[in-house]
Amino acid sequence: AQTVTQSQPEMSVQEAETVTLSCTYDTSESNYYLFWYKQPPSRQMILVIRQEAYKQQNATENRFSVNFQKAAKSFSLKISDSQLGDTAMYFCAFIVPQGAQKLVFGQGTRLTINP
Amino acid sequence: DAGVTQSPTHLIKTRGQQVTLRCSPKSGHDTVSWYQQALGQGPQFIFQYYEEEERQRGNFPDRFSGHQFPNYSSELNVNALLLGDSALYLCASSQKDEQYFGPGTRLTVT
């Protein structure tokens, strides 16, 4: 079975600080994709960043970057220069890109950015 | 591009009733997936539709059924509602491996 674990239920940092959210996953597949989604109070699930398992280079999107450790099955998200608008639930998710592609989500981390 | 749309936004039903939720995919997307998100939890996969057929199903009872229409829009039906069915129901559309989510339908069963 494929599972995703987020061990930090809640985190809180000051505006402009850097914060890292943790995620581990378990799979026997060799080809898969990993995602971080953001869900603000508006409920809309928004894709933040994606990482293909076959790529060794860590993905980066502006202030968001990941640390992908394939052997350790770890996929953390770093948010630099955090902003008030980053306050949201963050979900780590996993997908196998063959056949029916279902996303497997972690339990989420509630991130609060304080002014 | 309107993105993924869902209706209704909110819904209140009584135990034992039936409900239908609707989803219109993002333009150009042919695959629709449905997820159930209980309060404070991550979304759980219900099923996925492609070419008007259910392609894969998660661990949900037969009370949960769906349909995809020729224009790729989709419906999620839940029969014999239970209190535990109260959740946010998310629809996601995709063409390849990246799923785009709608704003969800909040279902409350009383």
Side-chain angles (χ1 to χ4, degrees):
Chain A
Q2 296 154 349
T3 59
V4 177
T5 302
Q6 294 178 249
S7 59
Q8 304 150 313
E10 294 189 26
M11 296 189 73
S12 178
V13 298
Q14 297 298 120
E15 192 175 9
E17 290 184 344
T18 294
V19 59
T20 299
L21 308 183
S22 300
C23 172
T24 58
Y25 59 93
D26 189 24
T27 182
S28 58
E29 300 286 342
S30 58
N31 184 28
Y32 50 88
Y33 298 158
L34 292 159
F35 303 89
W36 279 98
Y37 280 91
K38 167 185 177 181
Q39 188 178 41
S42 65
R43 308 180 327 202
Q44 184 91 38
M45 193 75 77
I46 301 164
L47 179 63
V48 174
I49 199 166
R50 63 178 278 165
Q51 174 81 43
E52 288 86 351
Y54 63 85
K55 291 185 177 179
Q56 292 186 338
Q57 186 173 6
N58 289 324
T60 300
E61 288 287 341
N62 300 313
R63 298 182 295 107
F64 299 87
S65 61
V66 299
N67 183 4
F68 174 46
Q69 302 289 327
K70 189 172 184 179
K73 296 182 180 176
S74 170
F75 182 61
S76 61
L77 173 70
K78 185 171 81 171
I79 306 174
S80 303
D81 186 26
S82 58
Q83 300 174 359
L84 297 179
D86 295 333
T87 293
M89 283 290 290
Y90 286 81
F91 291 97
C92 177
F94 166 103
I95 200 168
V96 175
Q98 290 113 20
Q101 299 166 4
K102 69 173 189 179
L103 280 164
V104 178
F105 286 87
Q107 307 93 313
T109 295
R110 183 177 302 279
L111 176 63
T112 302
I113 309 299
N114 299 306
Chain B
D1 184 2
V4 181
T5 60
Q6 292 186 243
S7 62
T9 305
H10 296 92
L11 204 51
I12 300 175
K13 290 287 189 178
T14 303
R15 274 181 300 175
Q17 286 188 318
Q18 178 264 343
V19 68
T20 297
L21 311 181
R22 295 177 176 81
C23 172
S24 291
K26 185 176 170 67
S27 178
H29 287 186
D30 57 7
T31 302
V32 173
S33 303
W34 287 92
Y35 295 83
Q36 180 195 66
Q37 186 178 17
L39 196 62
Q41 302 294 316
Q44 297 290 316
F45 176 78
I46 303 174
F47 42 52
Q48 184 179 87
Y49 277 85
Y50 172 69
E51 292 188 345
E52 302 180 52
E53 292 196 358
E54 184 182 288
R55 186 153 72 171
Q56 186 174 355
R57 186 179 187 89
N59 189 25
F60 281 82
D62 292 345
R63 297 186 299 108
F64 290 77
S65 63
H67 188 76
Q68 186 178 34
F69 299 93
N71 67 353
Y72 306 124
S73 67
S74 177
E75 289 182 348
L76 164 65
N77 301 293
V78 187
N79 294 323
L81 284 166
L82 304 174
L83 295 179
D85 296 332
S86 294
L88 179 67
Y89 288 84
L90 296 167
C91 166
S93 74
S94 57
Q95 189 178 33
K96 292 184 178 179
D97 50 61
E98 199 162 297
Q99 297 189 13
Y100 293 81
F101 284 82
T105 294
R106 172 72 67 190
L107 172 65
T108 301
V109 182
T110 62

